[in-house]
Amino acid sequence: MTFEEARDQFPVLERYAYLQAGSVGPIARGTVDAMHAAEQSGLRDGRGSHSRFMQLLDAREELRRDVGALVGVPADRIALTASTTDGCNIVLAGLDLRAGDEVITTTDEHFGLIGPLHTSGARVVVVEPDAESILAAVTPRTRLVAVSHVLWTTGALLPVHELRRITGIPILVDGAQSVGAIPVDATGLDFYTVSGQKWLCGPEGTGALVVADYEALRIARPSYLAQQAYERDGSFEPRAGAARFDPNVTPFALTAGLRAAMAALPSWGFARAAETADRLRDRLGEAGQEVVVPRERATLVAWRAAVDESAGIVARLADAGVIVRDLPGRGLVRASVGWWTSEGDLERLVAAL
C-alpha cells in the first residue's frame, strides 16, 4: 500500500492536520468497520451464547499473539488491559513494595505512571530524565526503575535496555509513546505497557502489558480471567502465562478494532515517521520556534512557549485546522508525527504558527 492509499484510510486527515496521536491516534475506516461488524454480530445473534463467548476468547488470544509479535515477546508474556495506566497498577500492586523500598522515576513521567508509583507503598525517588541521573540514584534499597521509553513531554528516548542491564534491577517501562511510533523490542525488560488508542490508532479502552516472569508477580487484582479453576471458597489455580493478569474482558468490538488497526500498520511506517518528525523540527526551527531536539528521540516534536500562552496557541492552531496539544505548566507545545503525517500537514502547522 502506498503512502497516499494508507493515509486515505483516515477520514479525519481530509479536514485536519491531525498531530495528536500522543493522546489519541486517528482512527481508520477499517478499524471502525471491524468494530461495527462485531457489534452487529451481537445485535443479530445475541451476546451471551457459548459460541459467541468462545469467539471472543479466541479473538483475545489472537490479539495477544499480535501484540507479542509487535514487541518481540511470546504471546504468553502478554496481558490484555484497558490502558498503560492499567498495566502500571497491575505491576505495582503485585510487587508488594514496602515503606523501606525505593523506586526510581523521572521528572518527565505521565501521571499514568507516577500516580500508581505514589500508591505503591515505596519511597519514590524522582530524578532528571537521563541515564546518568537514573543510574546515580540507585541504592541497595532500590526495588524498581519505572520510566517511559519515550518521554511524553519532549519525545526523548530513554535507554531502557541499558538501564536494566547496568542496574540489574527490575524495570517497569511506560510504552504509551513508543509502541506504534518506533520499533520496540521488549525482550529483557521485566514489565512493558502498551497503549492501543495512541500510535496504534486502535479504539480507546485497549492496551496490553508485557510480564517477562509472570510466576514472580503476585496476582493482586484478580478478575474472572485470572483463574483456570477455582473452589467455592475463592481459592484458585491461576491461568497459564500473563493472561492471569487480564483485568477485564475487553469488549468484542474493541478487540476486533485493535486487531484491525494493528494489521494495517505499514512496514515502512516507522522509518517514514522518524524522517517526517525530523523535517518538522527543522521547519519549526527555521520559523523561529525554540524546538526541543533530544539526542535520542522518537516522533513527538515539542517546542517552547510561555506557560501562560501555550493553551492559547493550541486553540489558535485548532481554529486553523491543526490539532496539537500543550503540556500544562511546562511551557511546551507538542505535535505527534505519525507515519500518516504529510508534507501538507507540516506546512499547515508552520504557516498557522
Side-chain angles (χ1 to χ4, degrees), residues 181-245:
I182 62 171
V184 170
D185 182 358
T187 304
L189 302 174
D190 303 272
F191 311 105
Y192 198 109
T193 69
V194 178
S195 171
Q197 75 184 38
K198 298 179 187 289
W199 300 94
L200 291 176
C201 301
E204 294 165 277
T206 57
L209 169 68
V210 175
V211 182
D213 185 357
Y214 45 79
E215 295 285 358
L217 184 66
R218 184 172 68 89
I219 304 173
R221 297 168 47 188
S223 71
Y224 181 79
L225 300 172
Q227 52 82 29
Q228 184 69 36
Y230 68 95
E231 303 296 332
R232 291 183 179 181
D233 65 359
S235 58
F236 64 94
E237 175 188 349
R239 286 185 66 187
R244 66 186 64 187
F245 302 111

Side-chain angles (χ1 to χ4, degrees), residues 2-332:
T2 66
F3 169 72
E4 290 75 17
E5 291 170 335
R7 178 180 162 88
D8 188 55
Q9 301 305 304
F10 299 97
V12 68
L13 303 182
E14 298 169 8
R15 300 177 59 204
Y16 299 104
Y18 188 86
L19 300 163
Q20 243 291 65
S23 295
V24 186
I27 197 161
R29 291 184 179 90
T31 301
V32 173
D33 288 346
M35 295 168 66
H36 182 69
E39 293 287 31
Q40 284 293 112
S41 172
L43 180 66
R44 181 182 62 248
D45 301 325
R47 297 181 296 172
S49 68
H50 176 72
S51 62
R52 182 174 171 80
F53 185 62
M54 295 307 295
Q55 289 172 11
L56 171 58
L57 294 184
D58 288 345
R60 289 174 61 79
E61 294 314 304
E62 290 168 354
L63 176 57
R64 212 182 300 277
R65 288 192 288 272
D66 292 345
V67 174
L70 183 64
V71 299
V73 301
D76 69 343
R77 267 60 172 180
I78 302 293
L80 300 178
T81 67
S83 65
T84 51
T85 303
D86 235 1
C88 293
N89 275 308
I90 290 167
V91 172
L92 290 162
L95 286 177
D96 293 325
L97 299 173
R98 303 177 185 278
D101 299 327
E102 294 178 350
V103 295
I104 299 172
T105 191
T106 82
T107 57
D108 283 39
E109 303 304 330
H110 192 278
F111 186 77
L113 172 59
I114 58 173
L117 286 178
H118 279 276
T119 65
S120 69
R123 175 174 176 259
V124 180
V125 179
V126 182
V127 300
E128 290 299 310
D130 59 74
E132 293 77 11
S133 298
I134 294 167
L135 293 172
V138 173
T139 75
R141 292 186 173 184
T142 305
R143 287 280 310 280
L144 182 72
V145 174
V147 296
S148 294
H149 198 170
V150 174
L151 299 181
W152 75 297
T153 51
T154 64
L157 189 65
L158 294 184
V160 291
H161 289 86
E162 180 182 345
L163 292 172
R164 179 62 176 89
R165 177 179 57 80
I166 293 174
T167 65
I169 294 169
I171 190 167
L172 165 59
V173 181
D174 182 344
Q177 302 299 343
S178 54
V179 180
I182 62 171
V184 170
D185 182 358
T187 304
L189 302 174
D190 303 272
F191 311 105
Y192 198 109
T193 69
V194 178
S195 171
Q197 75 184 38
K198 298 179 187 289
W199 300 94
L200 291 176
C201 301
E204 294 165 277
T206 57
L209 169 68
V210 175
V211 182
D213 185 357
Y214 45 79
E215 295 285 358
L217 184 66
R218 184 172 68 89
I219 304 173
R221 297 168 47 188
S223 71
Y224 181 79
L225 300 172
Q227 52 82 29
Q228 184 69 36
Y230 68 95
E231 303 296 332
R232 291 183 179 181
D233 65 359
S235 58
F236 64 94
E237 175 188 349
R239 286 185 66 187
R244 66 186 64 187
F245 302 111
D246 290 3
N248 47 50
V249 177
T250 310
F252 207 159
L254 301 189
T255 300
L258 183 54
R259 290 200 70 218
M262 292 176 61
L265 292 172
S267 59
W268 41 262
F270 295 137
R272 191 183 196 288
E275 293 167 1
T276 307
D278 279 339
R279 283 199 298 277
L280 178 57
R281 292 185 184 96
D282 290 342
R283 292 194 181 191
L284 288 169
E286 293 166 359
Q289 302 296 327
E290 185 182 352
V291 185
V292 180
V293 186
R295 184 178 61 182
E296 300 293 333
R297 53 193 179 270
T299 59
L300 289 174
V301 177
W303 65 97
R304 302 197 184 281
V307 171
D308 59 351
E309 295 179 4
S310 61
I313 292 171
V314 170
R316 178 162 55 82
L317 289 172
D319 289 341
V322 179
I323 310 301
V324 297
R325 70 158 294 174
D326 72 320
L327 303 183
R330 292 180 181 264
L332 292 172

